[in-house]
Amino acid sequence: MTLKIISAEKIEFEGEVTSVTLPGAAGSFQVLNHHAALISSLVPGTVAYTLAAGQTETRDIQGGVADIKDNVVSVCLY
C-alpha cells in the first residue's frame, strides 16, 4: 500500500509500505493492506511504518488527520 505523510510545507514521505501504526484519538491503531476505508483524527505521538524492504521507520507528530482508502494511507499533519 502507499503511505503519504503531508505537512503544510511539503510531502514528508511518499512510498510503498506493508504496515502503518498511527496514534489515533481513541488509541493507537495499525493499518495493513486492504484496510477498510477510514478517517481518523490523530493525536501527538509516533507514526511507525514498515517499508516494503522490511525496515521500520518512525516519525513523531503533533497531530493531524489520517484518510485510509483503496490501499492509500494519507496522513495530513498539523
Side-chain angles (χ1 to χ4, degrees):
M1 75 187 139
T2 301
L3 171 63
K4 298 177 185 179
I5 301 176
I6 305 160
S7 70
E9 295 84 32
K10 64 181 181 173
I11 297 175
E12 306 269 337
F13 174 85
E14 183 172 0
E16 292 300 309
V17 299
T18 57
S19 69
V20 182
T21 301
L22 299 162
S28 184
F29 65 98
Q30 185 176 44
V31 179
L32 300 171
N33 243 354
H34 306 294
H35 195 284
L38 172 73
I39 295 176
S40 176
S41 59
L42 302 175
V43 297
T46 301
V47 175
Y49 49 97
T50 303
L51 301 173
Q55 63 267 45
T56 299
E57 296 191 9
T58 61
R59 185 184 192 296
D60 291 332
I61 65 168
Q62 295 305 309
V65 176
D67 178 32
I68 298 127
K69 185 176 180 186
D70 296 330
N71 276 338
V72 177
V73 180
S74 299
V75 177
C76 300
L77 303 176
Y78 295 144

